């Protein structure tokens, strides 16, 4: 934006001051120069900010979709694994890798949300649809983890699973908070309820694996 303003001023200065132009009619008074600069700000700055807003919202949507995809990938990995595969704890390595990928995606999304401008009410409503999908898939994931507790115990991976639940809980909590902070006030109660739902899901899984 500043570069474009600089180019505009240089262009105006050229028509006013260039020694190769001698016709008075081509001179632009400084007052007109200022008017043109103000017009530029009025017309182009809001458009630029709107473009940035759409871009930032697109990033948030992509992040949310990425997180959901990684949740489903981790769920499938857990469901397809069994301690009976004779590989022991090594056989559970893909689960740990998928869990780490999910945590990294959530933390990157938190950073993007923190840097984003406030969402509009329409954007927040649209995001709410995706969040509902993520809640459903997250619950499915944690239920899959609970169903494999015996398998994790058999290969000595119980402490690893507990740590993963703690890490994922912290990552999701930070992400939920970041989204609430950019949510318009009219939608904040819904965002806070979504956060409470995620917290309850993870708290239940943590309690299940506590003993």
């Amino acid at each position: 934006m500043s570069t474009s303003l600089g180019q505009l001023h240089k262009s105006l200065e050229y028509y006013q001051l260039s020694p190769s132009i001698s016709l008075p009619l081509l001179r632009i008074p400084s007052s007109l120069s200022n008017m043109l600069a103000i017009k530029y700000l009025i017309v182009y700055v809001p458009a630029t900010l709107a473009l940035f807003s759409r871009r930032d919202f697109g990033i948030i949507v992509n992040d949310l979709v990425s997180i959901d995809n990684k949740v489903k990938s981790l769920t499938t990995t857990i469901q397809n694994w069994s301690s009976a595969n004779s590989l022991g704890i090594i056989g559970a390595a893909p689960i740990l890798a998928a869990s780490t990928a999910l945590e990294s995606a959530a933390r990157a999304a938190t950073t993007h949300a923190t840097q984003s401008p406030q969402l509009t009410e329409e954007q927040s409503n649209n995001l709410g649809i995706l969040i509902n999908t993520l809640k459903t898939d997250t619950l499915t994931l944690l239920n899959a983890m609970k169903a494999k507790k015996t398998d994790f115990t058999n290969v000595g991976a119980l402490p690893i699973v507990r740590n993963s639940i703690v890490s994922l809980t912290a990552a999701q909590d930070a992400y939920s908070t970041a989204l609430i902070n950019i949510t318009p006030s009219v939608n904040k109660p819904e965002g806070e309820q979504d956060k409470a739902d995620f917290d309850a899901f993870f708290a239940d899984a943590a309690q299940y694996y506590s003993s």
Side-chain angles (χ1 to χ4, degrees), residues 8-61:
L8 175 64
H9 283 297
K10 286 181 180 178
S11 177
L12 292 173
E13 290 169 1
Y14 172 80
Y15 284 110
Q16 289 179 2
L17 304 176
S18 173
S20 63
I21 298 177
S22 59
L23 294 177
L25 291 177
L26 292 179
R27 296 180 180 275
I28 300 179
S30 59
S31 58
L32 179 56
S33 171
N34 292 334
M35 291 174 60
L36 289 173
I38 293 172
K39 181 179 180 181
Y40 176 92
L41 290 172
I42 293 174
V43 174
Y44 290 101
V45 170
T48 301
L49 291 176
L51 178 61
F52 286 161
S53 177
R54 289 194 298 271
R55 182 202 64 182
D56 289 331
F57 181 61
I59 291 173
I60 291 175
V61 169

Side-chain angles (χ1 to χ4, degrees), residues 177-200:
T177 299
L179 288 179
I180 290 173
N181 288 340
I182 60 172
T183 297
S185 55
V186 67
N187 295 108
K188 280 189 185 296
E190 182 178 355
E192 290 167 351
Q193 181 59 56
D194 288 334
K195 182 180 182 300
D197 290 341
F198 280 114
D199 289 345

